[in-house]
Amino acid sequence: MKIDIDAFMDSLPIMGIGLLGIFIVTIVIIAGIYILRALTAGKSESDKSNDEDAAKVSEAADPNAPKESAMDLMEEREKKDFLETDDTLYISKDL
Amino acid sequence: MGELLSLFSNVTNLDYKQVIMWAIGGILIYLAIKKKMEPTLLLPIGFGTILVNLPMSGAISQMVGDILQEGPISILFESGIANELFPLLLFVGIGAMIDFGPLLSNPKLMIFGAAAQFGIFFTLSLASLFGFELRDAASIAIIGAADGPTSIFVANYFGTKYIGAIIVAAYSYMALVPIVQPPIIKLLTTKKERKIRMEYTAGNVSKTAKIIFPIFVTILTGLVAPNAVALIGFLMFGNLIRECGVLDSLSETAQSDLANLITLFLGITIAEKMQADAFLNPQTLLILGLGLIAFIFDTAGGVLFAKLINLFSKKKINPMIGAAGISAFPMSARVVHQLGLEEDSSNFLLAHTIGINVSGQIASVIAGGLILNLIAR
């Protein structure tokens, strides 16, 4: 092992630019999120879930109502397959 | 009798270094099973370490006479890690697992994710001081990303010969976050600071915002650090699948089947770089030490940045939350939350720390991307 002062000094600008770069990118992302939130503030997730609840209620009221399209039927089948899948098959999500 | 002896002739090819590597493999398996330290990675790496360090192991490619005998682990390495495919595919799964909701509802906390990458850049300079070539120093520094796939991606991009030690260090320290972080946090904060309460007001985050966010981050990062666009792009692609609401089945597959399959092969494939001659050298110990320093300075960077903000802010923040900016998700968030509870059993910091921890995931990838951009391959 050798101590290389020159290499250390050469790496300092990289450290400075790297740190500055990550702060700049992060600040731009933060600003972007605020703009994004402002632009999409019309319909929050809670509003959306209320809409979904209302849809479920109307569906429950008339369970025999015909499905609107083949896509709806496929979606329903996918959900059924997913619900019937044995979760114990999945070993771990700990990454 | 001669034939019987020839059956065991390979024993004479055994080298003491290989036996040491068996012991290291055994330790990794022990840590994975007994201590539950990142078992999904350390167990396959441990077993793979034993596998590749058997004399004349057919699991790895080697010259037998004049003929190249290809081994499956070497083939897997060439087709999954040397071309950076496995870490990228794993990122699709990780992206599908992450809920950016807490981050989107309190975006300003994301700045701590940036501050907690200090250890990466500090270690880069420190590794250079200890005589590592700049590309090797960058690969070692990225251990501080506390993010396995990013470490693999960057180390492999620079083609460092220390990749085995770097991966082992990265995953080991990620598992040791509950041991490494608390003393650093306590050292840098007063009891009074650790008791600071923080109000949490959940902002409204629309589904549209959650869908646009991964696309926005991909474009932005791609413009700033084009070399890292695959890394952030695959992470955000996984997240888009999760948030779009029309690909639930794919999202579930990415989170479970895909992530598990890649992890299964990733660990044992990394073992290709755990061969005795490449691993057993003084530099490995130095890399383990530098990796620890990277984690320590990441933690310190986040905490000290929070203290700096407190100097100018009327509304004080609990400086401990800065430590959650390292990417080890969700362990770091839990560790800081737990420390808050130790000081005051009714001080719940989890809502803040989760948001910061998630932002650390993004920041670590951006840091990796910046390093790829700043240092020539």
Side-chain angles (χ1 to χ4, degrees), chain A residues 2-4 8 11 14-15 18-19 22 26 29-30 32-33 36-37 40 43-45 82 90-92 94-95, chain B residues 40 97 104-105 107 114 117 121 124-125 129-131 205-206 209-210 212 220 252 256-257 260 263 363 370:
Chain A
K2 58 171 183 178
I3 300 295
D4 191 341
F8 175 71
S11 72
I14 297 172
M15 180 166 92
L19 275 171
I22 198 161
T26 304
I29 292 177
I30 292 170
I33 294 173
L36 197 59
R37 277 178 50 181
T40 60
K43 195 159 192 172
S44 71
E45 208 164 45
F82 175 69
Y90 305 133
I91 306 159
S92 163
D94 182 15
L95 292 170
Chain B
T40 48
M97 289 177 202
L104 292 171
S105 72
Q117 308 307 316
F121 296 101
L124 171 71
S125 293
L129 179 68
F130 285 131
V205 181
S206 67
K210 283 187 169 182
I212 295 175
L220 179 67
E252 282 296 325
S256 52
D257 297 358
N260 280 335
T263 306
L370 289 172

Side-chain angles (χ1 to χ4, degrees), chain B residues 84 124 133-140 142 152-161 368 370-377:
Chain B
E84 291 133 17
L124 171 71
E133 194 192 324
L134 196 54
R135 281 171 297 180
D136 291 330
S139 306
I140 294 164
I142 208 70
I152 296 168
F153 189 91
V154 173
N156 194 63
Y157 179 89
F158 287 123
T160 179
K161 60 186 170 188
L370 289 172
I371 282 182
L372 298 185
N373 257 38
L374 290 169
I375 297 167
R377 201 173 194 170

Side-chain angles (χ1 to χ4, degrees), chain A residues 56-69:
Chain A
K56 278 177 194 166
V57 169
S58 68
E59 196 177 319
D62 186 9
N64 296 324
K67 290 289 172 188
E68 285 177 3
S69 68

Side-chain angles (χ1 to χ4, degrees), chain B residues 166-206:
Chain B
I166 288 168
I167 306 305
V168 170
Y171 278 105
S172 303
Y173 291 135
M174 270 162 65
L176 288 173
V177 158
I179 296 167
V180 174
Q181 281 203 309
I184 311 299
I185 295 170
K186 285 183 178 174
L187 190 73
L188 295 172
T189 54
T190 63
K191 205 170 177 63
K192 192 182 167 191
E193 284 174 326
R194 293 197 292 273
K195 283 186 174 177
I196 294 175
R197 284 168 178 262
M198 292 175 67
E199 280 177 30
Y200 179 74
T201 42
N204 273 341
V205 181
S206 67

